Amino acid sequence: MVKTMQSFWIPFIIYTMLTIVGLYFALKNYKKGTRAENLLFIALIFFSSPMLFLLERANNSIVALIFTICFMSSYESENKVARELSLVSLAIAISFKIYPVLFCAMLVNHKRLKDTFKVLAYVVVLTIVPMLILYGGFGEIKYLVTNLQSFGNNTQLTVGTQLNFAKDLILPLYLTNLSNA
């Protein structure tokens, strides 16, 4: 039994090291300034409570964060290749987690609708193609749609289990009995 549990640590350590190195270089590329400012910025990010929690849990939100920072670093670049790579980075981040889609608003704000549609096309490719290759074809798309539709529908407050962002939002209503109004 102990041997089975120990086999998990090597992939965990490799994943953690890769995400730390990736995040370090993404932050270093993003933050412009003196060396002392960069190191302070990176240290503050790495030792913040949310980041320590993500690192402890080996959460894949770190990967989405790395690609989102890569997008932020070069989405306004004069270099067309760097700009295109930033769009691909945002698409990869969205493929990992849905919340980076909010960064498409920056593209819309800068009147770059074509780039917004490129990102969405990349997301479709990065989401559908692996599913077709790894999970058995187009028949699995209905399960993807079902899972996306059922995401966040459970808003009943429970104690001790299933705490999530949606329930954090309705918690004050339950505590003040305004949920029945």
Side-chain angles (χ1 to χ4, degrees):
M1 173 111 176
V2 173
K3 192 169 193 165
T4 305
M5 296 299 288
Q6 290 175 345
S7 65
F8 168 74
W9 283 104
I10 291 176
F12 175 78
I13 291 170
I14 292 171
Y15 173 80
T16 303
M17 288 173 35
L18 289 175
T19 55
I20 287 173
V21 169
L23 185 60
Y24 171 79
F25 283 113
L27 289 170
K28 187 177 175 190
N29 187 37
Y30 175 71
K31 178 72 172 105
K32 306 299 184 217
T34 66
R35 180 181 159 109
E37 288 174 341
N38 290 349
L39 289 176
L40 179 62
F41 175 72
I42 291 170
L44 288 174
I45 297 290
F46 271 108
F47 294 111
S48 66
S49 290
M51 184 57 63
L52 292 174
F53 179 78
L54 291 175
L55 287 171
E56 179 203 7
R57 302 290 176 183
N59 196 320
N60 69 353
S61 294
I62 298 173
V63 177
L65 176 64
I66 291 169
F67 284 108
T68 303
I69 293 170
C70 291
F71 164 74
M72 293 293 297
S73 296
S74 56
Y75 83 100
E76 292 181 315
S77 174
E78 298 295 325
N79 185 346
K80 288 184 177 183
V81 174
R83 244 187 357 255
E84 198 66 29
L85 285 174
S86 75
L87 299 178
V88 171
S89 294
L90 182 59
I92 293 170
I94 294 169
S95 295
F96 270 92
K97 297 285 185 183
I98 194 69
Y99 61 84
V101 78
L102 297 174
F103 285 91
C104 287
M106 292 172 54
L107 295 173
V108 171
N109 189 36
H110 289 275
K111 310 253 188 282
R112 293 172 52 187
L113 293 176
K114 182 178 176 184
D115 287 343
T116 304
F117 288 117
K118 276 186 190 178
V119 168
L120 297 177
Y122 292 148
V123 168
V124 168
V125 168
L126 290 169
T127 304
I128 302 296
V129 170
M131 185 174 56
L132 295 176
I133 294 170
L134 299 174
Y135 294 109
F138 286 105
E140 303 301 315
I141 292 177
K142 66 182 175 185
Y143 296 116
L144 173 68
V145 172
T146 302
N147 288 337
L148 288 174
Q149 289 174 342
S150 66
F151 179 74
N153 284 343
N154 185 8
T155 57
Q156 293 178 341
L157 185 65
T158 57
V159 178
T161 60
Q162 297 180 355
L163 291 177
N164 58 33
F165 183 70
K167 290 181 184 171
D168 288 344
L169 292 176
I170 64 169
L171 182 62
L173 298 175
Y174 279 99
L175 293 176
T176 58
N177 289 328
L178 293 175
S179 62
N180 297 332

